[in-house]
Amino acid sequence: MKNKTSLLPQEGEAHPSRCPDNTAFKQQRLPAWKPQLTIASVLSTFFLTGAFCLIVGVCLVLSANSVREIQIDYSDKCSDCSKLRENSSNWNKECHCSVNFTLKEDILGDVFMYYGLQNFYQNHRRYVMSRSDAQLLGRNVNIQRSYCTPFSTYRNGTPMAPCGAIANSMFNDTIDLFYNRNSSVIQVPLLKTGNSWWTDKNVKFRNPESYNLTSAFAGTARPPYWQKPVYQLDEEDERNNGYVNEDFIIWMRVSAFATFRNLYRRVKRVRHFVGGLPAGNYTFWISYNFPVARFRGRKHVILSTMVWSGGSNPFLGIAYLVSGTAAILAGFVITGIHLKLRKKKTYFQKQ
């Protein structure tokens, strides 16, 4: 065992230096710029920021108010279908209802159709996690190990495609729009593709690789609340089937609030609807499949236009107005404090 005194530095030995190297960086001699906060620079920052926010807020609010929008609640008008759908044994029975409304003025430009749900909570943690992103990418995965439970497999072991609570609760009402022109009834042409985000359509959702979708989804079954298998969601367009069906893609992007709307269709601008929707009498023809009475929900159909700032949502403009007002009020408060302190300093200097 070594003596403790042997661990101490002996006479004549060099002591290791703990000083940083003599460089500009380690000795903190690099040139630097430090802003000098003066009352003029601080007040100008507050007032200019406030003025900018107020101008942007006014523009956003005016833009949102210029959006033409009409909202139709069909929850009560389709009450008979709602009662039929509350009994799960009637899932295979069709039920239709119609809702009439009138446009007093033309809706010019591109017209978008949304479906809206009220009191439907998509922000529950288990609901949000109940999906398999690997399955939605077309991969062959074991969904029993995913978060899809209890909507993963049936009792006989057949996997669900797609799995999870989000997919199982997909909105499946069918909504058609008819224009009553003089004595004739014209169906408004609606576009069902081109409504989802490009990243969703081309990156996040893919079908399994196979020579056709029927064989791609062989050995799987539809979710319990669905009326059709995933490869028959769109019987008119084969490219809009499977996991890349745009209605399905839009539904899978869950909402943060209990009241929300999702894009459903766009009006195709042809023939009588080149300029948009002309004024007149219209009818929504609805195939009612999505029950909402059990959770006291409401269903809407919204027809809306778009502007440079988006749809009819004044929240961002109001937020800018509030921020701008707060910044200007803060500037006035700082100005008052500065004048008061300067006056007090001048008084003491005279004394």
Side-chain angles (χ1 to χ4, degrees):
M1 182 175 180
K2 294 184 178 180
N3 191 358
K4 292 183 179 180
T5 57
S6 63
L7 300 177
L8 300 175
Q10 304 298 323
E11 291 186 9
E13 294 183 4
H15 294 271
S17 175
R18 302 181 62 183
C19 295
D21 296 337
N22 187 21
T23 61
F25 177 75
K26 293 188 176 181
Q27 295 296 335
Q28 299 183 7
R29 295 195 301 266
L30 292 175
W33 175 78
K34 182 179 180 180
Q36 299 296 327
L37 298 179
T38 63
I39 188 63
S41 62
V42 171
L43 290 180
S44 61
T45 301
F46 272 93
F47 285 119
L48 289 176
T49 302
F52 172 78
C53 290
L54 288 178
I55 294 173
V56 174
V58 170
C59 294
L60 290 174
V61 170
L62 292 177
S63 176
N65 291 335
S66 65
V67 174
R68 293 290 311 280
E69 182 175 296
I70 179 171
Q71 180 170 308
I72 308 294
D73 188 328
Y74 66 95
S75 304
D76 297 331
K77 297 180 181 179
C78 297
S79 57
D80 293 337
C81 290
S82 178
K83 294 177 182 178
L84 179 69
R85 286 288 173 257
E86 291 305 316
N87 187 351
S88 59
S89 62
N90 298 325
W91 67 271
N92 59 345
K93 296 180 180 180
E94 294 185 359
C95 189
H96 301 275
C97 60
S98 60
V99 180
N100 300 319
F101 67 97
T102 302
L103 288 181
K104 297 181 180 180
E105 298 179 357
D106 297 343
I107 300 182
L108 302 178
D110 294 327
V111 182
F112 300 83
M113 180 188 293
Y114 300 83
Y115 62 85
L117 291 177
Q118 184 177 344
N119 206 35
F120 188 94
Y121 289 85
Q122 287 189 312
N123 55 4
H124 192 280
R125 180 175 177 272
R126 291 190 62 185
Y127 181 87
V128 173
M129 296 177 61
S130 185
R131 59 187 293 167
S132 174
D133 291 322
Q135 184 195 46
L136 298 177
L137 282 172
R139 300 172 183 171
N140 186 13
V141 294
N142 184 5
I143 60 175
Q144 290 182 344
R145 298 180 180 179
S146 65
Y147 293 103
C148 289
T149 307
F151 300 103
S152 56
T153 60
Y154 286 94
R155 292 181 178 179
N156 59 1
T158 304
M160 299 180 189
C163 70
I166 306 176
N168 183 59
S169 61
M170 176 181 168
F171 182 85
N172 57 350
D173 282 0
T174 302
I175 306 172
D176 294 315
L177 180 60
F178 293 90
Y179 174 44
N180 304 315
R181 185 173 182 266
N182 299 328
S183 58
S184 60
V185 178
I186 303 173
Q187 184 172 4
V188 179
L190 301 174
L191 298 173
K192 61 177 68 175
T193 57
N195 300 325
S196 62
W197 292 11
W198 185 91
T199 53
D200 288 345
K201 182 76 173 179
N202 298 276
V203 179
K204 296 183 179 180
F205 294 83
R206 295 176 185 173
N207 285 324
E209 295 183 359
S210 182
Y211 61 91
N212 60 41
L213 286 181
T214 304
S215 61
F217 289 97
T220 64
R222 59 177 176 81
Y225 292 171
W226 284 28
Q227 298 173 330
K228 301 177 181 179
V230 67
Y231 50 87
Q232 292 181 353
L233 291 178
D234 190 348
E235 298 178 353
E236 299 176 358
D237 188 357
E238 295 182 356
R239 297 172 299 176
N240 191 36
N241 269 316
Y243 297 146
V244 296
N245 176 265
E246 300 214 11
D247 290 339
F248 172 70
I249 291 175
I250 292 173
W251 177 258
M252 292 299 290
R253 185 175 291 277
V254 297
S255 174
F257 301 100
T259 299
F260 61 93
R261 64 175 64 178
N262 285 334
L263 182 59
Y264 182 67
R265 296 289 184 267
R266 292 177 294 125
V267 174
K268 187 176 181 180
R269 299 175 64 175
V270 294
R271 299 178 60 188
H272 304 288
F273 313 101
V274 172
L277 290 179
N281 298 321
Y282 289 84
T283 301
F284 281 125
W285 182 253
I286 301 168
S287 176
Y288 198 104
N289 299 305
F290 194 86
V292 295
R294 288 189 177 181
F295 56 87
R296 299 179 182 178
R298 311 288 297 180
K299 294 195 291 187
H300 308 84
V301 184
I302 303 103
L303 295 174
S304 177
T305 59
M306 282 283 189
V307 291
W308 62 270
S309 61
S312 177
N313 188 359
F315 173 79
L316 185 60
I318 295 174
Y320 268 100
L321 291 176
V322 172
S323 301
T325 304
I328 291 178
L329 289 178
F332 281 116
V333 171
I334 295 173
T335 302
I337 295 173
H338 171 69
L339 295 177
K340 185 177 181 180
L341 293 177
R342 188 175 66 175
K343 185 177 180 181
K344 185 182 294 185
K345 182 179 180 180
T346 305
Y347 172 77
F348 283 111
Q349 286 177 351
K350 290 181 179 180
Q351 295 295 326

